[in-house]
């Protein structure tokens, strides 16, 4: 947070165990360093510029040089900067979108199809999207963990992004605490096996929401 500007992100690092934990620590510390050096009130820093800088530092820290690293080390991320006075939001995404629910409709802003890390597209800059905000808007950033979660049946059917978006529209009349509970209940119902046990989680499930 810097004055009237607030920076919010949801990020999912590749890998599990020690490699995943290391990437998470590296990503958080690097992002904090970049954010601490940006005076958002004094210069037009964009969300995309912060992702560009984060990618450069991650590649340098990991010494990534070839496509083999692409599949091993990286971060999928949705990142936004909110200007509370101008009532607008800047968004940049690395393989992750941003959703805004407004008047019972959901609006999707897609991220770029490249991670924070080495990619075949090289150093192509991330795109920056400026979105006007309205009071009552609810903004969501998420990993792919919920949409990819299999159900408790033998079909192993995925929850899908479509179901998640429909759920977010359905619960808009609720407070944010009530929404959290409704989402947890929906996922427990989805994961329930015939014997009452829950199917195991296959990935981190990140869903961050806030209301303007």
């Amino acid at each position: 947070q810097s004055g009237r500007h607030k920076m919010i992100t949801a990020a999912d690092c590749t890998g599990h165990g020690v490699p995943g934990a290391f990437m998470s620590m590296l990503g958080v510390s690097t992002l904090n360093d970049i954010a601490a050096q940006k005076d958002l009130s004094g210069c037009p820093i964009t969300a995309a510029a912060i992702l560009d800088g984060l990618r450069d530092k991650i590649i340098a820290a990991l010494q990534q040089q070839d496509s083999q690293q692409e599949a091993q080390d990286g971060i999928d991320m949705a990142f936004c900067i909110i200007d509370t006075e101008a009532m607008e939001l800047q968004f940049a995404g690395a393989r992750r979108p941003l959703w805004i629910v407004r008047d019972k409709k959901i609006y999707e802003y897609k991220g770029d199809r490249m991670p924070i890390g080495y990619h075949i597209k090289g150093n192509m800059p991330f795109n920056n999207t400026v979105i006007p905000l309205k009071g009552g808007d609810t903004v969501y950033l998420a990993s792919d963990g919920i949409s990819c979660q299999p159900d408790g049946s033998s079909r192993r059917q995925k929850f899908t992004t479509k179901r998640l978006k429909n759920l977010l529209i359905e619960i808009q009349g609720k407070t944010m605490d009530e929404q959290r509970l409704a989402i947890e209940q929906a996922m427990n119902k989805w994961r329930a096996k015939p014997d009452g046990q829950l199917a195991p989680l296959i990935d981190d499930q990140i869903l961050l929401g806030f209301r303007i």
Side-chain angles (χ1 to χ4, degrees), residues 130-169:
V130 179
I131 306 165
L133 297 172
K134 293 175 59 177
D137 285 350
T138 314
V139 183
Y140 297 95
L141 313 173
S143 70
D144 62 353
I146 293 179
S147 58
C148 291
Q149 176 62 41
D151 66 8
S153 74
S154 59
R155 296 174 301 169
R156 303 287 289 169
Q157 183 179 359
K158 292 183 178 181
F159 192 74
T160 73
T161 300
K162 181 178 180 180
R163 280 193 180 88
L164 178 56
K165 290 161 72 173
N166 287 339
L167 176 59
L168 295 178
I169 295 172

Side-chain angles (χ1 to χ4, degrees), residues 12-14 19-29 75 204:
D12 187 16
C13 298
T14 59
F22 173 74
M23 177 61 75
S24 298
M25 293 173 60
L26 178 62
V28 169
S29 62
I75 305 174
D204 300 327

Side-chain angles (χ1 to χ4, degrees), residues 97-193:
L98 175 143
W99 300 317
I100 295 180
V101 178
R102 174 188 298 165
D103 300 328
K104 298 183 179 180
K105 294 182 180 180
I106 192 164
Y107 300 88
E108 181 174 33
Y109 300 87
K110 295 184 177 181
D112 292 294
R113 296 178 63 86
M114 52 187 180
I116 302 297
Y118 182 88
H119 191 265
I120 193 171
K121 292 183 180 180
N123 61 351
M124 181 180 293
F126 286 93
N127 288 300
N128 197 73
T129 303
V130 179
I131 306 165
L133 297 172
K134 293 175 59 177
D137 285 350
T138 314
V139 183
Y140 297 95
L141 313 173
S143 70
D144 62 353
I146 293 179
S147 58
C148 291
Q149 176 62 41
D151 66 8
S153 74
S154 59
R155 296 174 301 169
R156 303 287 289 169
Q157 183 179 359
K158 292 183 178 181
F159 192 74
T160 73
T161 300
K162 181 178 180 180
R163 280 193 180 88
L164 178 56
K165 290 161 72 173
N166 287 339
L167 176 59
L168 295 178
I169 295 172
E170 180 183 329
I171 63 178
Q172 277 313 288
K174 300 179 181 293
T175 66
M176 300 309 289
D177 283 340
E178 291 170 338
Q179 287 191 32
R180 176 184 57 80
L181 181 59
I183 293 167
E184 289 178 352
Q185 291 174 339
M187 291 309 299
N188 287 340
K189 182 178 179 180
W190 180 256
R191 294 169 55 205
K193 297 181 179 181

Side-chain angles (χ1 to χ4, degrees), residues 10-69:
D12 187 16
C13 298
T14 59
H16 299 278
V18 173
F22 173 74
M23 177 61 75
S24 298
M25 293 173 60
L26 178 62
V28 169
S29 62
T30 304
L31 185 60
N32 285 337
D33 288 344
I34 293 173
Q37 297 171 15
K38 304 299 183 184
D39 180 5
L40 297 178
S41 299
C43 56
I45 297 299
T46 66
I50 289 180
L51 289 199
D52 290 339
L54 177 61
R55 177 180 57 189
D56 291 344
K57 290 181 179 294
I58 291 293
I59 290 175
L62 298 178
Q63 300 182 347
Q64 294 178 329
Q65 298 178 353
D66 54 53
S67 58
Q68 182 66 24
Q69 286 284 357

